[in-house]
Amino acid sequence: RSILRQSRATVGSGVGFAVGWKAANRPNTRRYAVPDAPSEETLAALSHEDREFPPDPAFAAQANGTKELFAEADADRDAFWAQQARDRITWSKDFEQVLDWSEAPFAKWFVGGELNAAYNCLDRHVEAGNGDRVALHFIGEPDGDTKDFTYAEALDQVKRAANVLTDLGVEKGDRVAIYLPMIPEAVFAMLACARIGAPHSVVFGGFSADALRSRIADAEAKVVITADGGYRRGKPSALKPAVDEAVSGGTSVNKVLVVRRTGQDTAWNDDLDLWWHEALEAASAEHEAVPVDSEHPLFLLYTSGTTGKPKGILHTTGGYLTQAAYTNSVVHDVHPETDVYWCTADVGWVTGHTYIVYGPMANGATQVLYEGTPDTPHQGRWWEIVQDKKVSVLYTAPTAIRTFMKWGKETPAKYDLSSLRVLGSVGEPINPEAWVWYREIIGGGKTPIVDTWWQTETGAIMVSALPGVTTLKPGSAQAAIPGISVDVVDEQGNSVENGKGGYLIIDKPWPSMLRGIWGDPERFKETYWSRYPGVYFAGDGAKRDEQGNIWVLGRVDDVMNVSGHRLSTTEIESALVSHPKVAEAAVVGATDATTGQAVVGFVILRGDAAAEAEQDGDALVANLRNHVAKEIGPIAKPRQIMVVSELPKTRSGKIMRRLLRDVAENREVGDVSTLADSSVMDLIKTGMSDSG
Ligand code: WT7
């Protein structure tokens, strides 16, 4: 998630157990259609949250994002974006037209313009005299394994890598797959591709050989860039064997460039393999960035849809880079001269693409790049990094925040976190409890929190607070940022009134929008543009509160329908997590003969409560069910709650409710290939039969 490596932090070694649930033998006859908008009950329940945090005037006085931006964008959207593009990006040829929407939904932004993304992220900063500024504070997982790269040093690496790729026969338009740990070479490899106009397809290092193979095949990648391994939980963890397997038996790949990270024994194929360090050393350090058309493909990034085959989301150059730089400036409020910024995402996810590589580097920011997990070698590792590097802007995911809550506030309290001035959240709705904990415990009760809604498809932040402008409401993503237009609509596509819920849509094209699904224009139109003609359907349910703030309720396919009442999984999870004994919760709607669907909760307990549950699980479960009924209303009371030691999560930190639904409905668990740790389902199932 996206973010996010820390998702693995919750994948521990505990033995699963489950209580309070007896597997019933219900036939599975019901299919899951996309349900419609959330019910009045759901919406009313969310209105409990009425805490408000107005911006601090001192913060507002220095903020990049101002009220005026809203007025400018409202007055003339095209002119607004043209100005952002010209102010923030260096074009080798100016554009003639801001937006061509004549072939909607295939957009062209900044038509006729030419630029190079790597030039914008590196060369121009060096040319402006900022070559000595640190671009990356790399922190490896092994203690003390750190290295800084200035913008000039990063540029040198990227120029050499660009020459190497060209020597290997990679031409403008050819695809390059990147399968690397969180090391500086991942950033350099992406920028080297951009420098020669070769779209990259980064595949998260935690994906399997099969997943890598299918992504390489779909994109017909010519070269793969990988490493011998990376460090994970204190040990070298091999990567190259997965590549060897993925390229075995003949593929589009004719070279594999291998970064030496761990020095571990690595099988070698002389026909294919080449060491990155040897190739770069031998390569020329001179290289001119190749200007490309504004609409030239910058990257593909595969993301899972509701079914089957992953979608290769296509992003192009000019519009993407403009919105990446703009949002990193106005939302994260990054001041490149003074801030130390840290986005904890992995570069294998869109968050890493936009908010490690393209946004902050286009802006010339200094950032932390951390290789490891949050609890190696100890649970204070992140806060130690914040203290040592004086991190001022931190961008992470709710799943991480809840993990830290579970570990306890004593750990962050041991470190000096006073450098922090902006905290960001991304990837899923952040429950008010976690939001407030984040602000109080990490932000010292003073930092603004920007909860940023966007997607792989949107390329960059769409809905968020501006930290110097917005009065913050914990749990709300707040409003479309200047230049972006979103709405919450009902079944018919009509805008809902304040206080009501519906579907989140984007009703005007935006610069960093996806330009399609690689090789599948029909799927692109069908998935996003067919539900409401001319309007982008995001797949999320949302509510507008009385003041017009947007509350994202989660994917609409996770909305439940219980006795004709619709309930949000997110809302019930939030209620469960607000119970002092619960660390994490996931809720699914399971088929029920009487009520259509029934609420089934899965909870991870906080330390002491887990021992208590082993003694008297039934009492604890009854207590939690009543707690939900009390928080939201009897209709939301879970039919069952299972106490588990782990939750199944994707590598991006998203809970895979589909699998939990399989468990709740007592059927064979489906495809687990996108789980961060596929053994989690075994733990949960074993736990169930133990108690069942
Ligand atoms: C889905 C997109 C955006 C980069 C990471 C995820 C959910 C994302 C929020 C948020 C509520 C959020 C949505 C969205 N989501 N951010 N701030 N509040 N929900 O990218 O993997 O493409 O997932 O993540 O459901 O549709 P992604």
mmCIF file with all atom_site columns, all heavy atoms in Angstrom, residues 51 306 452 549 609 629 676:
data_model
loop_
_atom_site.group_PDB
_atom_site.id
_atom_site.type_symbol
_atom_site.label_atom_id
_atom_site.label_alt_id
_atom_site.label_comp_id
_atom_site.label_asym_id
_atom_site.label_entity_id
_atom_site.label_seq_id
_atom_site.pdbx_PDB_ins_code
_atom_site.Cartn_x
_atom_site.Cartn_y
_atom_site.Cartn_z
_atom_site.occupancy
_atom_site.B_iso_or_equiv
_atom_site.pdbx_formal_charge
_atom_site.auth_seq_id
_atom_site.auth_comp_id
_atom_site.auth_asym_id
_atom_site.auth_atom_id
_atom_site.pdbx_PDB_model_num
ATOM 1  N N   . ARG A 1 51  ? -15.318 15.632  16.427  1.00 0.00 ? 51  ARG A N   1
ATOM 2  C CA  . ARG A 1 51  ? -14.119 16.381  16.812  1.00 0.00 ? 51  ARG A CA  1
ATOM 3  C C   . ARG A 1 51  ? -13.606 17.161  15.609  1.00 0.00 ? 51  ARG A C   1
ATOM 4  O O   . ARG A 1 51  ? -13.678 16.683  14.484  1.00 0.00 ? 51  ARG A O   1
ATOM 5  C CB  . ARG A 1 51  ? -13.019 15.427  17.289  1.00 0.00 ? 51  ARG A CB  1
ATOM 6  C CG  . ARG A 1 51  ? -13.259 14.885  18.670  1.00 0.00 ? 51  ARG A CG  1
ATOM 7  C CD  . ARG A 1 51  ? -12.315 13.771  19.019  1.00 0.00 ? 51  ARG A CD  1
ATOM 8  N NE  . ARG A 1 51  ? -12.694 12.536  18.337  1.00 0.00 ? 51  ARG A NE  1
ATOM 9  C CZ  . ARG A 1 51  ? -12.207 11.333  18.654  1.00 0.00 ? 51  ARG A CZ  1
ATOM 10 N NH1 . ARG A 1 51  ? -11.310 11.199  19.616  1.00 0.00 ? 51  ARG A NH1 1
ATOM 11 N NH2 . ARG A 1 51  ? -12.600 10.255  17.997  1.00 0.00 ? 51  ARG A NH2 1
ATOM 12 N N   . THR A 1 306 ? -11.430 -6.761  -9.607  1.00 0.00 ? 306 THR A N   1
ATOM 13 C CA  . THR A 1 306 ? -12.338 -7.597  -8.826  1.00 0.00 ? 306 THR A CA  1
ATOM 14 C C   . THR A 1 306 ? -12.224 -9.060  -9.240  1.00 0.00 ? 306 THR A C   1
ATOM 15 O O   . THR A 1 306 ? -12.568 -9.944  -8.481  1.00 0.00 ? 306 THR A O   1
ATOM 16 C CB  . THR A 1 306 ? -13.803 -7.123  -8.988  1.00 0.00 ? 306 THR A CB  1
ATOM 17 O OG1 . THR A 1 306 ? -14.000 -6.802  -10.351 1.00 0.00 ? 306 THR A OG1 1
ATOM 18 C CG2 . THR A 1 306 ? -14.059 -5.931  -8.116  1.00 0.00 ? 306 THR A CG2 1
ATOM 19 N N   . THR A 1 452 ? -5.290  10.957  2.734   1.00 0.00 ? 452 THR A N   1
ATOM 20 C CA  . THR A 1 452 ? -5.295  11.179  1.287   1.00 0.00 ? 452 THR A CA  1
ATOM 21 C C   . THR A 1 452 ? -5.962  10.024  0.550   1.00 0.00 ? 452 THR A C   1
ATOM 22 O O   . THR A 1 452 ? -5.496  8.900   0.604   1.00 0.00 ? 452 THR A O   1
ATOM 23 C CB  . THR A 1 452 ? -3.848  11.324  0.781   1.00 0.00 ? 452 THR A CB  1
ATOM 24 O OG1 . THR A 1 452 ? -3.130  10.112  1.057   1.00 0.00 ? 452 THR A OG1 1
ATOM 25 C CG2 . THR A 1 452 ? -3.141  12.477  1.473   1.00 0.00 ? 452 THR A CG2 1
ATOM 26 N N   . ASN A 1 549 ? -18.025 17.420  3.908   1.00 0.00 ? 549 ASN A N   1
ATOM 27 C CA  . ASN A 1 549 ? -16.792 16.615  3.926   1.00 0.00 ? 549 ASN A CA  1
ATOM 28 C C   . ASN A 1 549 ? -17.058 15.200  3.436   1.00 0.00 ? 549 ASN A C   1
ATOM 29 O O   . ASN A 1 549 ? -18.107 14.622  3.743   1.00 0.00 ? 549 ASN A O   1
ATOM 30 C CB  . ASN A 1 549 ? -16.241 16.509  5.349   1.00 0.00 ? 549 ASN A CB  1
ATOM 31 C CG  . ASN A 1 549 ? -15.680 17.817  5.829   1.00 0.00 ? 549 ASN A CG  1
ATOM 32 O OD1 . ASN A 1 549 ? -14.771 18.372  5.230   1.00 0.00 ? 549 ASN A OD1 1
ATOM 33 N ND2 . ASN A 1 549 ? -16.259 18.329  6.912   1.00 0.00 ? 549 ASN A ND2 1
ATOM 34 N N   . ALA A 1 609 ? -5.487  -9.246  26.614  1.00 0.00 ? 609 ALA A N   1
ATOM 35 C CA  . ALA A 1 609 ? -6.822  -9.739  26.291  1.00 0.00 ? 609 ALA A CA  1
ATOM 36 C C   . ALA A 1 609 ? -6.754  -11.093 25.609  1.00 0.00 ? 609 ALA A C   1
ATOM 37 O O   . ALA A 1 609 ? -7.655  -11.917 25.750  1.00 0.00 ? 609 ALA A O   1
ATOM 38 C CB  . ALA A 1 609 ? -7.543  -8.723  25.410  1.00 0.00 ? 609 ALA A CB  1
ATOM 39 N N   . ALA A 1 629 ? -23.009 -3.344  18.901  1.00 0.00 ? 629 ALA A N   1
ATOM 40 C CA  . ALA A 1 629 ? -24.432 -2.986  18.944  1.00 0.00 ? 629 ALA A CA  1
ATOM 41 C C   . ALA A 1 629 ? -24.614 -1.634  19.623  1.00 0.00 ? 629 ALA A C   1
ATOM 42 O O   . ALA A 1 629 ? -25.432 -0.816  19.207  1.00 0.00 ? 629 ALA A O   1
ATOM 43 C CB  . ALA A 1 629 ? -25.218 -4.068  19.682  1.00 0.00 ? 629 ALA A CB  1
ATOM 44 N N   . ALA A 1 676 ? 0.364   -11.436 1.561   1.00 0.00 ? 676 ALA A N   1
ATOM 45 C CA  . ALA A 1 676 ? 1.747   -11.190 1.979   1.00 0.00 ? 676 ALA A CA  1
ATOM 46 C C   . ALA A 1 676 ? 2.334   -12.479 2.547   1.00 0.00 ? 676 ALA A C   1
ATOM 47 O O   . ALA A 1 676 ? 3.503   -12.790 2.368   1.00 0.00 ? 676 ALA A O   1
ATOM 48 C CB  . ALA A 1 676 ? 1.795   -10.076 3.009   1.00 0.00 ? 676 ALA A CB  1
#
